[in-house]
Structures are given as structure tokens and as C-alpha cells.
Amino acid sequence: LSLMASISVMTASAQSDGGIKFEAPFEFTVGGKTLPAGKYSIQRLRFEASDMMLIRDENRRGVLNFRVARMVFKNESDTCKLIFHRYGSTSFLKQIQYNHSADGYELPKSSSERELIKQFRDKKDSIASAGVETFEVVTISGQ
């Protein structure tokens, strides 16, 4: 059985404080916590040592800090991008790229994501019973 990958595009916009506003039409997991579909903003907590980021909903509730690692993308983007990995119906925020450089951030795999990957590998011949029928890369982008 093969993995099926597809890309969806949604809207995100950069804020002057180095943050990104976006709307996710699906629930997703970040920092080990599942957040409902909705409007969010993400921003770096410190610019010098930006290994931590903050996500909050549009009402400035649901604040959550999470760790990231700096990374360099192959190409500089002209749009902000949030990249999610989806296993079946479960989505994980994986990467964040700003529109002003090729630099970005990657989130480490959570224990729940590692468990889904393990289930998939252990039950390759019976994907439906593992609850992981497809793998998708979902990108939220915008100007």
C-alpha cells in the first residue's frame, strides 16, 4: 500500500511583530495539545534565541508555548507558510516559514505523532485498522 500525499492551500498573513495570523479549517496538534479549527496567531517569544513560539486563538485565549528548531528552506518564500502533516484525520503543525527569508522553524515530533507513525509502520498491511489511511502535507500560505 502506498502513501497518498496532497497539498491544500489556505490563507495566512504576516504581522509586523514577526507573527503570522492564519485560519485552520481543521483541528490540529501543536506542542502536544490538540486545538480546534479556527483563527490563530503564532509569534516568536524571543528574537535572539527563538527556540520557543507562542500560539493563541483570535480571542487571545488558549495560549500555548511550544518548542521549535531553526531550519533553512531550499527556497526563499514569497508567502508565509505553515506546513501540517496529516495522518488519517489527525493533523500536526510541522514547519513555519516567513515570507522575508529562507529561514524558518520546525517542530519536533510529539509522542502522539510518533505513535501514529509507529502504528502505520507496524500495520502496513492493514492501514485502516491502524487508523492511518493517508498521509497528507497541508500548507497554509498567503501574503
Side-chain angles (χ1 to χ4, degrees):
L1 297 171
S2 64
L3 294 174
M4 181 175 72
S6 66
I7 297 177
S8 301
V9 178
M10 291 154 274
T11 303
S13 61
Q15 299 169 258
S16 60
D17 64 357
I20 297 174
K21 288 185 178 181
F22 69 100
E23 182 169 357
F26 49 81
E27 76 174 21
F28 62 97
T29 300
V30 61
K33 183 174 179 181
T34 301
L35 302 174
K39 294 180 180 180
Y40 292 92
S41 64
I42 291 180
Q43 70 184 102
R44 294 173 276 191
L45 291 178
R46 293 175 289 169
F47 290 100
E48 299 82 34
S50 48
D51 61 345
M52 293 292 291
M53 298 193 90
L54 171 83
I55 187 169
R56 62 180 133 207
D57 66 17
E58 68 180 329
N59 298 319
R60 301 182 76 73
R61 294 180 306 208
V63 174
L64 175 68
N65 298 332
F66 59 96
R67 289 201 171 282
V68 292
R70 283 185 182 256
M71 69 175 296
V72 177
F73 289 86
K74 291 181 181 178
N75 298 313
E76 185 172 320
S77 178
D78 58 348
T79 60
C80 295
K81 292 180 183 177
L82 293 131
I83 296 134
F84 297 81
H85 285 183
R86 183 179 293 160
Y87 306 88
S89 62
T90 306
S91 299
F92 297 89
L93 178 60
K94 291 306 297 172
Q95 296 174 338
I96 301 164
Q97 183 179 10
Y98 291 91
N99 61 346
H100 50 77
S101 74
D103 292 334
Y105 302 94
E106 186 166 67
L107 285 76
K109 285 183 176 73
S110 66
S111 58
S112 56
E113 183 177 8
R114 285 192 301 270
E115 181 59 31
L116 278 176
I117 292 168
K118 183 180 181 308
Q119 286 177 12
F120 177 76
R121 287 183 183 149
D122 291 348
K123 299 180 181 182
K124 284 182 198 175
D125 298 329
S126 180
I127 291 176
S129 67
V132 182
E133 298 172 6
T134 61
F135 168 76
E136 289 182 273
V137 175
V138 181
T139 303
I140 295 178
S141 65
Q143 259 99 31

